[in-house]
């Protein structure tokens, strides 16, 4: 990284007591600038353990909102407020209310990729790392799962004793990965292990050796005997995988690109560290209600802060 950028980052961090968090899908230079790189839950937990006054969250809006909900006394800044998750935007509070009215006995399990007003109507949240565990923990027989149909389908396969009611949402970045993309890479690298994200289509997951969350892929790559991996998720993760495992090879899918994740640039990061804006605000009643399913997930899981 440019020495002048490094100096500006260090000066601003000190001046405002800032913690920089970056999601696994962020640009390499943003990952290098961050104090921690991780998945959404991991980063929200890091924020709760920090003495920083300001959290600059390099990711998309639902993640920065989750960090704010779990850290209401800190200033949370999202360097580009238009960085939202199209999948989270596929389910509105009205949609969810209608679905709940149709299935009054069902519990609502909301993927962390939902906006705060939707979380406020849910019973429990989950991430791709703990979706199966969270679904198993629910006592109701019927579970409304929002918004990702692919992750929902994956959870249903692992938890056949429950009936999942799926919402037809999906992530373009993962939905666009096709079976032939995997088979082509596998033909070129026959020894590579195939790791895919459960947001991928079921036909893609069926071709993989393992389906993992991004942090799951990071842990697996470290301990696996394999030295080559085909990575079926947003390509930004390959930068972290390569950096942490210099002796191993990671083959990315260049088409697996999330334009919203890439909206955060080093210039926007520096600007937001100077101005402490744009700040993330979640209205109080939503904040209190959305915290319940998030906190429940953290209390149930091993990832308790
Ligand atoms: O929870 C996250 O950070 C997301 C969206 C993906 C993952 O699997 O880590
Ligand atoms: Fe949303 Fe998919 Fe981008 Fe993640 S990769 S922020 S789920 S659109």
């Amino acid at each position: 990284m440019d020495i002048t950028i490094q100096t500006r980052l260090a000066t601003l961090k000190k001046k405002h007591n800032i913690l920089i968090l970056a999601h696994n899908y962020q640009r390499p230079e943003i990952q290098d600038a961050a104090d921690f790189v991780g998945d959404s839950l991991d980063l929200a937990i890091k924020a709760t353990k920090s003495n920083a006054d300001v959290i600059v969250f390099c990711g998309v809006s639902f993640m920065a909102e989750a960090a704010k909900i779990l850290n209401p006394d800190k200033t949370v800044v999202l360097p580009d407020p238009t960085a939202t998750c199209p999948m989270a935007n596929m389910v509105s509070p009205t949609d969810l209310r209608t679905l709940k009215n149709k299935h009054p006995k069902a519990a609502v399990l909301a993927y962390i990729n939902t906006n705060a007003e939707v979380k406020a109507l849910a019973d429990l949240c989950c991430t791709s790392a703990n979706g199966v565990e969270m679904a198993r923990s629910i006592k109701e027989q019927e579970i409304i799962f929002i918004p990702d149909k692919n992750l929902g389908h994956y959870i249903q396969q692992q938890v056949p004793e429950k009936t999942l009611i799926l919402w037809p949402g999906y992530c373009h970045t993962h939905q666009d990965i096709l079976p032939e993309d995997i088979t082509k890479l596998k033909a070129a690298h026959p020894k590579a292990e195939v790791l895919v994200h459960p947001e991928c289509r079921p036909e893609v997951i069926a071709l993989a050796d393992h389906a993992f969350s991004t942090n799951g892929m990071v842990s697996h790559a470290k301990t696996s005997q394999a030295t080559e991996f085909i990575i079926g998720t947003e390509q930004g993760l390959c930068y972290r995988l390569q950096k942490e495992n210099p002796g191993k090879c990671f083959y990315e899918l260049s088409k697996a690109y999330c334009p919203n994740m890439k909206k955060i640039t080093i210039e926007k990061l520096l600007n937001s560290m100077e101005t402490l804006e744009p700040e993330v605000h979640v209205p109080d009643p939503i904040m209190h209600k959305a915290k319940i399913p998030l906190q429940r997930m953290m209390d149930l899981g091993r990832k308790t802060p």
Side-chain angles (χ1 to χ4, degrees), residues 23 25 39-40 62-63 111-113 127-128 197 199 213-214:
H23 189 265
Y25 297 157
D39 66 14
S40 52
F62 77 81
M63 299 178 176
Y111 190 22
I112 195 147
N113 296 41
T127 67
S128 44
H197 196 279
E199 285 176 21
S213 66
T214 57

Side-chain angles (χ1 to χ4, degrees), residues 25 60 62-63 84-88 113 171-174 199 234 258 260-261:
Y25 297 157
V60 292
F62 77 81
M63 299 178 176
T84 66
C85 169
M87 175 162 73
N113 296 41
C171 157
H172 289 278
T173 308
H174 289 90
E199 285 176 21
E234 212 280 344
C258 175
N260 279 282
M261 280 286 176

Side-chain angles (χ1 to χ4, degrees), residues 122-170:
D123 297 298
L124 183 62
C125 286
C126 74
T127 67
S128 44
N130 63 18
V132 169
E133 191 189 342
M134 292 301 127
R136 284 196 184 122
S137 79
I138 290 174
K139 62 177 192 318
E140 284 82 355
Q141 169 59 31
E142 284 188 321
I143 302 173
I144 292 173
F145 183 79
I146 46 162
D148 184 15
K149 61 176 181 178
N150 291 335
L151 177 61
H153 180 268
Y154 175 77
I155 296 173
Q156 178 69 85
Q157 283 187 318
Q158 318 290 314
V159 193
E161 66 275 22
K162 299 283 178 189
T163 308
L164 265 71
I165 299 149
L166 305 184
W167 184 255
Y170 58 89

